[in-house]
C-alpha cells in the first residue's frame, strides 16, 4: 500500500490538510502536499480536498479556490477519472468547480454546527467507500456554517435515481440539507464530496467519536493498489 500516493491540497485558509495527510499515512499511504498556486499534481494517484475556510470564504465558500492554478490541472484530471474526495470546504469547492452538482448554503437556523454526527452509507461503489457496507451507520465530526446541500428538483431526482447520494444524515439533520444529503458522487463515481470530516476520525488517540473515518482511506488505498 505504501506505493499509493494521495495528494492533499492546501489553499490559504485550509485547516485540515495536516489531519488529512496524517490519515493517509495512518493507513499506509504516501501523502503528497499540493499547493494551490502550483499547477502541478505531481503524478498523484488520488486527491483529497480538505476542509477549512479557503480565502476566508469570501464571495461564496470555495468560489475563489475554484480558480486556483492547481484547479486548472485538477478539474480536467478529475473529469478524466482521477479519484477525488472533498470534505466540508473541499465539498464546497467541488460544487463551485461544477465537478459535483448542487451547492452548499448557510445552515438552516444560521448557526455554526460543531458536533459528532451519524450518517448512513448509501453507496459503496466509489473508490472512497468500498470498505463500507451499504446501509452501515457511522459517526463522524461535522463543523460548518454553510453545509446545507441544495439543488433543483430535477437534480435531486437524478441524484436519487442514479444512486449518487453516497451519505445521508441520521439521528437528526444538522443543517437542513435537502433529502438529508450528507454527501454525493458524480455520475462516474470517482469524485465524492461530503460535509462530515473522516480525517478527524481515524484513531482513538485524538479523542474522535469513532475510527469510522479510516474506511475512506483504506478504501482508496485498496483501490489504487489493485488498479
Amino acid at each position: 500500500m505504501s506505493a499509493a500516493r494521495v495528494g492533499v491540497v492546501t489553499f490559504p485558509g485550509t485547516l485540515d490538510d495536516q489531519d488529512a495527510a496524517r490519515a493517509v499515512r495512518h493507513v499506509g499511504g504516501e501523502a503528497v502536499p499540493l499547493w494551490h498556486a502550483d499547477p502541478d499534481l505531481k503524478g498523484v494517484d488520488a486527491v483529497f480536498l480538505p476542509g477549512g475556510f479557503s480565502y476566508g470564504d469570501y464571495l461564496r465558500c470555495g468560489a475563489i479556490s475554484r480558480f486556483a492554478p492547481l484547479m486548472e490541472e485538477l478539474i480536467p484530471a478529475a473529469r478524466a477519472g482521477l479519484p477525488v474526495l472533498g470534505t466540508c470546504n473541499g465539498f464546497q469547492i467541488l460544487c463551485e468547480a461544477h465537478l459535483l452538482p448542487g451547492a452548499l448554503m448557510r445552515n438552516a437556523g444560521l448557526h455554526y454546527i460543531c458536533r459528532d454526527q451519524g450518517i448512513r452509507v448509501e453507496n459503496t461503489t466509489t473508490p472512497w467507500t468500498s470498505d463500507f457496507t451499504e446501509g452501515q451507520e457511522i459517526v463522524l465530526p461535522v463543523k460548518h456554517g454553510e453545509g446545507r446541500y441544495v439543488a433543483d428538483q430535477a437534480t435531486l431526482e437524478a441524484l436519487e435515481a442514479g444512486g449518487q447520494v453516497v451519505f445521508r444524515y441520521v439521528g437528526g439533520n444538522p443543517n437542513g440539507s435537502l433529502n438529508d444529503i450528507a454527501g454525493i458522487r458524480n455520475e462516474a463515481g470517482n469524485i465524492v464530496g461530503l460535509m462530515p470530516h473522516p480525517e478527524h476520525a481515524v484513531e482513538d488517540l485524538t479523542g474522535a467519536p469513532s475510527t469510522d473515518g479510516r474506511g475512506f482511506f483504506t478504501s482508496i488505498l485498496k483501490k489504487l493498489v489493485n488498479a
Side-chain angles (χ1 to χ4, degrees):
M1 287 188 178
S2 60
R5 304 174 73 244
V6 179
V8 179
V9 182
T10 301
F11 297 94
T14 295
L15 299 180
D16 301 320
D17 47 347
Q18 295 307 308
D19 302 84
R22 179 178 175 82
V24 170
R25 294 192 297 267
H26 190 66
V27 297
E30 178 186 353
V32 180
L34 298 177
W35 184 238
H36 71 105
D38 184 4
D40 182 3
L41 293 175
K42 300 182 180 179
V44 297
D45 304 304
V47 169
F48 189 107
L49 287 169
F53 303 92
S54 59
Y55 293 95
D57 281 348
Y58 292 111
L59 299 182
R60 293 183 309 276
C61 300
I64 300 177
S65 298
R66 175 259 180 273
F67 293 102
L70 180 71
M71 296 298 291
E72 297 176 5
E73 298 297 317
L74 178 56
I75 290 172
R79 287 175 175 160
L82 181 73
V84 178
L85 178 68
T87 63
C88 200
N89 192 217
F91 186 12
Q92 295 162 344
I93 293 169
L94 290 175
C95 289
E96 287 288 341
H98 304 297
L99 291 173
L100 290 175
L104 285 309
M105 306 294 289
R106 286 286 293 168
N107 295 344
L110 307 181
H111 290 291
Y112 186 89
I113 302 296
C114 183
R115 74 188 198 194
D116 300 334
Q117 176 66 46
I119 62 174
R120 184 173 61 247
V121 181
E122 303 279 13
N123 187 301
T124 60
T125 65
T126 83
W128 301 96
T129 57
S130 60
D131 261 7
F132 297 107
T133 57
E134 188 172 325
Q136 181 179 351
E137 294 188 6
I138 62 177
V139 178
L140 299 176
V142 294
K143 48 172 188 170
H144 56 257
E146 292 86 10
R148 178 168 57 92
Y149 182 77
V150 298
D152 61 51
Q153 188 60 35
T155 298
L156 287 173
E157 291 174 359
L159 289 173
E160 298 286 1
Q164 289 180 247
V165 177
V166 182
F167 300 101
R168 216 180 296 270
Y169 295 116
V170 294
N173 185 328
N175 50 39
S177 287
L178 297 179
N179 293 18
D180 295 328
I181 291 173
I184 61 173
R185 66 171 177 87
N186 65 334
E187 289 186 13
N190 61 300
I191 305 171
V192 174
L194 72 158
M195 288 309 296
H197 288 267
E199 72 277 14
H200 293 325
V202 297
E203 55 184 333
D204 294 325
L205 180 64
T206 60
S210 72
T211 58
D212 293 337
R214 282 178 55 91
F216 290 80
F217 301 95
T218 56
S219 292
I220 189 60
L221 261 65
K222 289 178 182 178
K223 169 68 175 179
L224 297 177
V225 168
N226 295 326

